[in-house]
Every structure is written in structure tokens, then in C-alpha cells.
Amino acid sequence: MKEIREVDISMNNRVFTINLAIRDEELIDTIFSALTEYVEKGFPIKVKEAYVTSLSDSLKIITKIISSGSQMDEWRAETKQLISIIVKR
């Protein structure tokens, strides 16, 4: 049996939020693949992303609309780069 992954889910009347361990690359990649498939079917997504890259850094919040597979690829690459920066601290 493979290692158990921790997935935290919270819900309210507006959003369904999934929290994953930042080091769980395989599960994160699986979610990106599912979102890519969704976008490529013609359903654009609005992404709200919040992150801090170092202890001395302030919170950054970015919102973007993703409507194509190539935009998903760009976002996926940006996210992997951010994760590698965050994990190194």
C-alpha cells in the first residue's frame, strides 16, 4: 500500500477549498492535470493565488483567468517554481 496522503477540505456556501501538503508533488500534479482537462474542454477558470516566498516577505495575491491549455502550462510551471522557492526556506 502506498503512503496515505493528507487532504484537508473546507466548505461554505460559496467555496470548496482543498489544502494539500506543499511537498506532495504527485497529488498537486494530478489536480493540475484535471484542471487542464477542464480548461481544454472550453471552461475557463479564475485563479486566486496567495503566497509568501520568505519569512521576511509580505503576502502576495494574484488573480488570473486561464482559458487555454498553454495558459495552464504556464501557470503550472510558475507554481512549481514558487513551490521550490517556498520549500527551500
Side-chain angles (χ1 to χ4, degrees):
M1 187 165 129
K2 293 189 177 192
E3 182 181 340
I4 295 172
R5 302 293 197 236
E6 188 170 324
V7 178
D8 297 327
I9 297 174
S10 60
M11 293 177 259
N12 63 36
N13 63 345
R14 290 188 19 210
V15 296
F16 179 92
T17 305
I18 300 174
N19 292 305
L20 311 171
I22 197 162
R23 295 182 188 267
D24 196 344
E25 292 179 42
E26 185 177 346
L27 185 52
I28 292 168
D29 197 48
T30 299
I31 290 172
F32 267 102
S33 294
L35 287 173
T36 299
E37 184 177 323
Y38 185 76
V39 167
E40 288 178 342
K41 287 182 179 179
F43 300 101
I45 60 174
K46 183 177 187 178
V47 175
K48 295 178 185 176
E49 186 174 63
Y51 61 90
V52 176
T53 55
S54 71
L55 296 174
S56 62
D57 205 3
S58 60
L59 178 69
K60 292 181 180 63
I61 300 172
I62 295 173
T63 301
K64 58 178 85 183
I65 305 280
I66 297 176
S67 58
S68 70
S70 63
Q71 289 175 322
M72 277 299 302
D73 292 342
E74 288 176 24
W75 179 45
R76 179 184 251 165
E78 290 169 7
T79 302
K80 284 185 177 188
Q81 184 178 23
L82 275 172
I83 288 172
S84 70
I85 291 168
I86 292 167
V87 169
K88 286 181 185 176
R89 20 172 231 161

